[in-house]
Amino acid sequence: MENIQAVKGMNDILPDQIGWWQFVESTTRKLFERFGYREIRTPVLEKLELFARSIGESTDIVEKEMYTIADSRGEWLALRPEATASIVRAFIQHNLQADPLARKFYAIGPMFRHERPQKGRYRQFHQIDAEAFGVEDPMLDAEVMYMLGLLLRKLGLTAVVLHINSLGCTECRPVFRERLTAFLEQNVGRLCPDCQRRRHTNPLRTFDCKVDRCQAVLAEAPLLLDSICGHCAEHFSRVKGYLEDLRTPYVINPRMVRGLDYYTRTTFEIITDRLGAQNAVGGGGRYDGLVRDLGGPDVPGIGFAIGMERLILLLQQEQPAPVGVPPVFIAVLGERARHRGFLLSQEIRELGLEVELDYERRSLKSQMRRADKLGSRYVLILGDDEIERNQAQLRDMQEKTQSVLPLSDAPAQLKQLMISAA
Ligand code: HAM
């Protein structure tokens, strides 16, 4: 019989990799909480309509990338392709606007998009997501990007650039959309079939087309950033000013349109040139109409998401793996020693140290080899003779020295030694 494999594009994260994930997650939690963000956990399955209405019917995500399920009552559900829609739903559903502490949220977890898998692009991937509601002031836009930059710096990531743009508002974007549609109409013969269709359904998306001949057309297209209204221009200019105050370098990228339709005004991406085709490590922006469009109060919002697989691929290129504290090893010889070692291991764990021991009656030599492989600094050696004398041998694997200590003192002494070795 053939072995069952994981679903294509969905990866196991094995123990030899988990240190990276835990390092990223704990650094994120500590930093975000300093900015007042609180964790929120929403279901991975939501009503399909939530994503269709927020991300947009004519986006790639909704048109072709969602994993959908019809439940027994015929209602369409979808595995979440991103976190923003779910967090906005929860914000509305639980009337979180009324709670002064619940305005800034973060979430860490798996997302699902049925894309063609390649390096940095998977069907189950993980995002770190942050969302802040209720503030229209550009100070928050700058702070959100500053927080994202600070997180990347804390993680040790340097080879990235912040791209920013403004996508205007419900006043100026429709006017531009008409202009762009007219331009695309004039050049329709030079566009790929997808962009020919997009010129009606979602003309801004043509900026993201990867086909060379469309890129050539779009190089001559009018730019939204040149046609945003006075209010949006003023907002954008203040965002840039605050970014400069916060010494956060950025590049203006007027062709960046993002793959989701809910954005207004400020949008941004973290770009790298070290991951091949998948050059966005993170992205986000303002969505001032989304809460209202989903049936909630008229509350502005802004946020971003980081792709954790891409982030970790980059970190691995730049730095050695985070190292944990290796376990204390208890080597035992003889049945009484084995039993005593078993009890001792629990005592030492209760003091907060990690302990490994041999359950399988292997030779002392092979136990020492295993301790060495695990990177243990200290090995407690127990034989039946030692037990008789209420003693243990303590071997320092680094100094290659051995000493005798009373068994009753062993846990406390090991703890002391591990603290001074750390
Ligand atoms: P997004 O740009 O679609 O934005 O995704 C954010 C990040 O998720 C990307 O920059 C990328 O690093 C990662 N990502 C996306 N798709 C994949 C994939 N198939 N495989 C691996 N990584 C992937 C959003 O999702 C918005 N919800 C961000 C946001 C939050 N905007 C406002 N608030």
Side-chain angles (χ1 to χ4, degrees):
M1 236 199 317
E2 217 178 284
N3 289 339
I4 299 173
Q5 307 276 312
V7 175
K8 189 175 168 201
M10 305 206 178
N11 302 313
D12 298 309
I13 302 167
L14 299 177
D16 70 338
Q17 290 289 309
I18 209 74
W20 289 101
W21 291 78
Q22 290 171 344
F23 163 63
V24 167
E25 286 166 15
S26 63
T27 310
T28 302
R29 287 174 197 284
K30 273 189 232 134
L31 184 75
F32 283 9
E33 307 235 334
R34 251 193 257 166
F35 284 80
Y37 288 74
R38 299 283 175 264
E39 186 174 7
I40 183 167
R41 301 187 189 185
T42 60
V44 290
L45 206 57
E46 296 269 4
K47 294 184 180 161
L48 173 73
E49 192 194 348
L50 173 68
F51 302 117
R53 272 174 56 190
S54 55
I55 298 169
E57 296 274 7
S58 54
T59 56
D60 282 355
I61 297 178
V62 171
E63 269 185 352
K64 47 190 185 201
E65 292 171 2
M66 278 204 297
Y67 281 90
T68 57
I69 302 166
D71 80 358
S72 55
R73 280 193 268 133
E75 183 169 43
W76 282 98
L77 308 175
L79 283 173
R80 62 179 182 194
E82 58 117 47
T84 313
S86 308
I87 295 174
V88 171
R89 179 203 45 72
F91 182 79
I92 299 169
Q93 183 174 336
H94 304 285
N95 191 24
L96 295 178
Q97 194 204 2
D99 179 350
L101 273 181
R103 296 283 175 87
K104 292 173 166 177
F105 306 89
Y106 75 90
I108 301 178
M111 308 294 154
F112 304 85
R113 295 185 194 176
H114 196 277
E115 298 190 79
R116 199 166 45 77
Q118 55 173 242
K119 184 181 171 193
R121 189 167 70 195
Y122 311 102
R123 290 180 173 172
Q124 175 178 295
F125 60 98
H126 297 76
Q127 283 186 346
I128 293 169
D129 184 279
E131 312 290 349
F133 296 92
V135 179
E136 209 181 326
D137 197 282
M139 226 175 226
L140 184 66
D141 304 46
E143 187 188 272
V144 161
M145 289 184 263
Y146 170 75
M147 181 175 84
L148 169 56
L150 185 58
L151 174 62
L152 299 180
R153 269 190 282 141
K154 284 210 166 293
L155 293 170
L157 194 66
T158 51
V160 288
V161 181
L162 171 67
H163 284 211
I164 64 169
N165 191 17
S166 173
L167 291 183
C169 63
T170 48
E171 297 288 310
C172 51
R173 194 160 55 204
V175 180
F176 173 77
R177 207 182 129 121
E178 302 252 308
R179 258 184 80 197
L180 182 62
T181 307
F183 167 84
L184 295 170
E185 204 62 60
Q186 282 160 16
N187 294 281
V188 67
R190 294 162 66 201
L191 297 173
C192 76
D194 270 346
C195 285
Q196 292 190 4
R197 192 171 48 82
R198 287 184 188 123
R199 80 185 194 278
H200 296 303
T201 56
N202 202 342
L204 272 165
R205 297 244 53 77
T206 53
F207 279 102
D208 256 358
C209 183
K210 300 280 180 293
V211 177
D212 285 346
R213 59 178 212 271
C214 295
Q215 280 304 314
V217 175
L218 269 306
E220 301 157 16
L223 294 173
L224 176 52
L225 194 58
D226 298 333
S227 1
I228 55 177
C229 63
H231 294 306
C232 289
E234 158 77 12
H235 193 272
F236 192 53
S237 136
R238 290 178 54 205
V239 170
K240 290 185 288 183
Y242 290 131
L243 282 175
E244 280 148 33
D245 293 346
L246 292 169
R247 281 193 276 272
T248 301
Y250 62 84
V251 169
I252 298 173
N253 180 353
R255 292 171 190 283
M256 182 179 73
V257 289
R258 308 275 301 126
L260 309 96
D261 281 352
Y262 47 61
Y263 291 113
T264 52
R265 295 194 168 169
T266 315
T267 49
F268 51 94
E269 280 183 354
I270 298 285
I271 301 293
T272 174
D273 58 8
R274 301 205 177 164
L275 283 181
Q278 306 312 315
N279 64 356
V281 186
R286 255 192 189 280
Y287 44 85
D288 289 348
L290 183 60
V291 181
R292 185 196 56 226
D293 290 350
L294 288 177
D298 194 2
V299 172
I302 180 168
F304 64 81
I306 303 172
M308 293 181 76
E309 282 79 2
R310 292 183 194 175
L311 173 66
I312 289 169
L313 278 170
L314 282 179
L315 291 178
Q316 287 172 336
Q317 289 177 17
E318 288 195 24
Q319 52 188 272
V323 280
V325 180
V328 169
F329 196 90
I330 302 184
V332 290
L333 265 185
E335 277 316 297
R336 281 184 66 201
R338 206 170 91 89
H339 185 246
R340 191 57 206 268
F342 171 64
L343 298 181
L344 204 56
S345 67
Q346 319 307 352
E347 256 180 75
I348 300 173
R349 287 176 182 135
E350 287 199 20
L351 290 184
L353 301 180
E354 182 182 337
V355 183
E356 277 296 327
L357 79 159
D358 176 64
Y359 300 93
E360 283 144 292
R361 302 184 172 85
R362 273 187 277 243
S363 70
L364 184 61
K365 204 168 153 199
S366 91
Q367 292 185 58
M368 295 308 280
R369 222 181 294 130
R370 184 145 168 255
D372 195 41
K373 262 200 184 146
L374 289 169
S376 297
R377 167 84 191 260
Y378 298 105
V379 182
L380 209 56
I381 305 168
L382 303 180
D384 286 352
D385 291 351
E386 275 93 4
I387 303 290
E388 199 66 52
R389 277 181 260 127
N390 256 318
Q391 286 177 339
Q393 307 257 2
L394 180 70
R395 183 158 178 84
D396 182 331
M397 302 288 274
Q398 195 172 311
E399 302 291 327
K400 304 210 178 330
T401 55
Q402 204 153 308
S403 54
V404 176
L405 76 170
L407 256 181
S408 53
D409 279 358
Q413 280 205 33
L414 272 166
K415 173 133 192 179
Q416 212 42 53
L417 285 167
M418 292 292 278
I419 290 171
S420 29

